[in-house]
Amino acid sequence: EVQLVESGGGLVQPGRSLRLSCAASGFTFDDYAMHWVRQAPGKGLEWVSGISWNSGSIGYADSVKGRFTISRDNAKNSLYLQMNSLRAEDTALYYCAKAPSAMVQGSFDYWGQGTLVTVSS
Amino acid sequence: AIRMTQSPSSLSASTGDRVTITCRASQGISSYLAWYQQKPGKAPKLLIYAASTLQSGVPSRFSGSGSGTDFTLTISCLQSEDFATYYCQQYYSYLMYTFGQGTKLEIK
């Protein structure tokens, strides 16, 4: 059974940093691309960032480009999102999502339950 | 960025009804479109990818169609568990993926 478990969320002041993690199990992690998708309270879904199986292809939404960094450790079956210079508008539930193939272009076939990031002074 | 517009934003229907949700892309996206279902407090669930391919385990009352700029999600016979919010997502624009604003399907 595919499982994605996010962690690392919390309350953080504007301008500070936070690192999210996603622990994957139930599938061969290094065979698949991975993504982060967020959802602000009461709002819709927003794709944040994606990374191919070997980290060779990486992309970011314009809203986070230059501030967020996605990475993965295939030996640890883990996905990360380093978030710097956080803003109030980054407040959201952050989901880790699995791609159906090694390539970043595609849908998201499994999702974690999310970790909540609140940016507030 | 490619803008995805869903209609309607909300919809009231009864169990057993046939409902259709529309998603329009601001430019052609071929068939690079997915549909998701999200229930309150839960993560989204993939229903359909490549515009019309049903994800494994999804009931056959769900179907998708369209290509280019206009797409539809149809639920042929609404069940109680289908009341949720539905999102379309384009993955045509490489690493610039966007979702529709969502359609909330409520019980009439």
Side-chain angles (χ1 to χ4, degrees), chain A residues 3 8 11 19 39 46 51-52 72 101 113 118-119:
Chain A
Q3 285 201 322
L11 175 63
R19 188 194 197 207
Q39 187 169 34
E46 180 188 16
I51 185 169
S52 63
R72 63 189 295 161
S101 77
Q113 287 305 302
T118 303
V119 184

Side-chain angles (χ1 to χ4, degrees), chain A residues 36-73:
Chain A
W36 289 99
V37 178
R38 69 184 180 183
Q39 187 169 34
K43 302 297 184 182
L45 301 168
E46 180 188 16
W47 174 80
V48 173
S49 182
I51 185 169
S52 63
W53 69 281
N54 63 351
S55 304
S57 293
I58 287 175
Y60 302 94
D62 286 346
S63 57
V64 307
K65 201 171 291 184
R67 300 187 299 121
F68 289 12
T69 302
I70 192 172
S71 62
R72 63 189 295 161
D73 186 335

